[in-house]
Amino acid sequence: MDTEVVIIGGGPSGLLLSQLLNRNGIATVILERSSRAHVLSRIRAGIIEWGAVETFREAGAGARMDREGIPHNGCVLSHDALAVRIDFEELTGRKVMVYGQTEITADLYAAQDAIGTPIFHDVDDVVIEDVLTSRPAVSFTVDGERRRLECAFVAGCDGFHGVSRQVIPAEKRREFERIYPFGWLGLLAHTPPVHEELIYAGSERGFALASMRSQTLSRYYIQVPLADRPDDWSDAAFWEELKRRLPAAAAQQLVTGPSIEKSIAPLRSFVSEPLRYGRLFLVGDAAHIVPPTGAKGLNLAVSDVFYLAEALVPALKHQASAGIDGYSARALARIWNAMRFSWQMTLMLHRFDGEDSFAAAMRKATFMHLQRSETARRDLAENYIGLPY
Ligand code: APR
Ligand code: PHB
């Protein structure tokens, strides 16, 4: 055997899994299609559930997050003139951490470098073989040379467009999907955040989100038609539209500035079941996608990794297979909860083209329900801060 676990994909899922396995004495090799610079240039969401915060700490990759991250005790949801604060701390006793997922990925690379885990970048033509036998292998091309690694298990951490999911025969897979008819245009700027907490703003003009990376770096989003391109939106047009969607008091505080980055992301809900096929396991975006409205993407990847590490360690150390047999069902239970939450948040906050007056009235009624009912706020808070592992 060349290594114990071959991990396909050097995004947050693959890196964190490798880090947790290595710290339990298990050897891994990571295969990543892109360069490290490319992986670290992708701007992703910035909210980390407390369970994930604890997992990063346990993995030995939480020191910078603890220094630079900003704990948030709540967030604001608004709907035109209505606003309601969701007090996570009071409702659940827990909070979330504002810390960019790109920074988490950089911290995980640094932690893996310190351990000395082999990470192959710019690999091509990854082929996963023999996962229904006790000795699977992964072949790939790097620097023009074809290589093959035999291992005990393969972890498919290669995101939505990866090859791992396709290894499971179509007749053994079940896919569930919802594509939303809009995207999020995101803008990053060296400006102070408009508010000390995140604002999720529903409005009759569409959704907007005011988020942040630090006291001097803001991240904003507005809902845009799927056909729009970032170049269609000048900075001035973006700021103008954002102001019209945020609550009036916040809009008055908004400090604008030149954008550092502007990009559009489509919104999708997707699950592929099961997460295991023989000795291949799917983790993170390789198996599921959520719309960003509840900031669950990375957080779900972390719980998958946590469950899989908890399953693989006894399987490799003591030939105990109960964990790997239960991985798919255990991870999917948490995944479906987050699917439901992010879908509901998306429906509650976005305007759908061509919708009728009833749909808009129900969104408003949902806000009024949140304002009135502590039970409703607690339900939202429990899901937002993350269900237990
Ligand atoms: N071979 C090797 N690597 C591959 C292949 C392949 N065939 N296909 C894709 N990859 C790599 C991609 O280049 C990417 O770096 O797999 C990685 C997958 O990373 P992500 O897409 O970030 O997925 P994941 O690690 O599961 O992250 C989960 O974190 O930042 C959030 O929004 C992100 O919600 C996502 C979550
Ligand atoms: C972000 O800061 O990029 C962010 C925060 C919360 C979300 C989505 C994105 O729900």
Side-chain angles (χ1 to χ4, degrees):
M1 206 158 66
D2 299 299
T3 188
E4 290 176 285
V5 182
V6 173
I7 296 175
I8 304 171
S13 297
L15 294 164
L16 178 63
L17 178 65
S18 183
Q19 180 71 11
L20 288 174
L21 293 176
N22 295 162
R23 284 167 70 92
N24 281 283
I26 290 167
T28 56
V29 174
I30 299 178
L31 308 179
E32 166 56 51
R33 188 178 53 185
S34 307
S35 66
R36 185 180 294 203
H38 177 78
V39 173
L40 292 177
S41 69
R42 296 191 295 231
I43 297 185
R44 297 283 179 77
I47 295 286
I48 321 240
E49 295 174 355
W50 214 257
V53 165
E54 284 166 354
T55 303
F56 288 124
R57 288 177 181 159
E58 267 169 46
R64 192 164 67 101
M65 170 187 72
D66 278 327
R67 276 198 312 276
E68 297 177 13
I70 317 169
H72 274 207
N73 294 337
C75 74
V76 175
L77 269 62
S78 73
H79 182 270
D80 291 325
L82 303 174
V84 52
R85 177 164 185 265
I86 310 293
D87 190 326
F88 309 142
E89 182 98 78
E90 183 186 288
L91 294 164
T92 70
R94 309 196 83 193
K95 48 191 156 194
V96 296
M97 184 76 97
V98 171
Y99 187 62
Q101 292 177 15
T102 310
E103 305 309 317
I104 279 286
T105 310
D107 297 346
L108 286 167
Y109 270 116
Q112 285 281 277
D113 287 346
I115 291 177
T117 305
I119 306 181
F120 291 94
H121 278 280
D122 303 302
V123 303
D124 282 319
D125 303 322
V126 170
V127 178
I128 304 169
E129 299 159 18
D130 305 332
V131 292
L132 296 182
T133 72
S134 59
R135 187 50 50 87
V138 180
S139 301
F140 58 102
T141 303
V142 68
D143 296 331
E145 194 188 326
R146 196 74 191 151
R147 306 203 32 178
R148 185 169 187 274
L149 295 173
E150 288 192 359
C151 56
F153 295 104
V154 180
C157 304
D158 48 353
F160 184 64
H161 300 287
V163 293
S164 303
R165 188 170 72 249
Q166 312 302 336
V167 171
I168 307 183
E171 68 276 12
K172 297 210 184 315
R173 241 189 297 142
R174 203 159 166 217
E175 296 189 347
F176 305 81
E177 186 168 55
R178 173 74 26 111
I179 293 174
Y180 302 89
F182 40 74
W184 278 19
L185 169 63
L187 179 147
L188 189 69
H190 279 300
T191 55
V194 65
H195 186 64
E196 63 203 23
E197 294 180 337
L198 270 63
I199 304 176
Y200 288 82
S203 87
E204 286 319 315
R205 299 183 64 85
F207 172 71
L209 170 62
S211 182
M212 66 193 75
R213 293 288 176 276
S214 72
Q215 305 304 350
T216 55
L217 192 57
S218 298
R219 180 71 168 160
Y220 296 104
Y221 299 90
I222 55 173
Q223 171 188 354
V224 294
L226 265 182
D228 282 17
R229 298 282 153 257
D231 289 346
D232 299 339
W233 286 85
S234 67
D235 288 0
F238 180 96
W239 292 120
E240 192 49 41
E241 187 59 33
L242 178 68
K243 270 190 208 163
R244 297 172 79 166
R245 298 185 188 188
L246 290 176
Q252 278 167 14
Q253 302 286 319
L254 184 72
V255 179
T256 65
S259 62
I260 309 168
E261 192 258 6
K262 229 188 281 162
S263 55
I264 295 186
L267 272 71
R268 179 198 302 267
S269 296
F270 173 82
V271 182
S272 177
E273 296 184 345
L275 305 189
R276 177 193 180 188
Y277 184 61
R279 286 176 169 253
L280 167 70
F281 301 90
L282 301 182
V283 181
D285 277 18
H288 44 80
I289 298 285
V290 285
T293 325
K296 292 292 171 222
L298 174 85
N299 293 302
L300 266 192
V302 172
S303 52
D304 288 358
V305 167
F306 177 89
Y307 295 143
L308 186 57
E310 226 175 52
L312 287 177
V313 172
L316 284 160
K317 295 249 176 243
H318 316 291
Q319 284 75 50
S321 62
I324 55 176
D325 292 340
Y327 165 70
S328 184
R330 195 178 175 207
L332 280 166
R334 194 169 189 279
I335 290 163
W336 278 114
N337 268 303
M339 283 288 149
R340 187 202 66 80
F341 175 66
S342 49
W343 163 78
Q344 207 169 52
M345 286 279 280
T346 303
L347 295 191
M348 176 171 75
L349 289 160
H350 292 77
R351 226 188 72 82
F352 285 67
D353 267 353
E355 68 182 18
D356 57 14
S357 56
F358 187 79
M362 282 301 104
R363 279 202 303 277
K364 186 170 174 192
T366 305
F367 272 91
M368 285 164 19
H369 177 54
L370 276 176
Q371 275 190 321
R372 200 182 56 247
S373 165
E374 184 179 306
T375 308
R377 289 197 297 279
R378 177 167 293 113
D379 176 56
L380 196 151
E382 277 175 357
N383 282 281
Y384 193 91
I385 61 118
L387 298 176
Y389 288 2

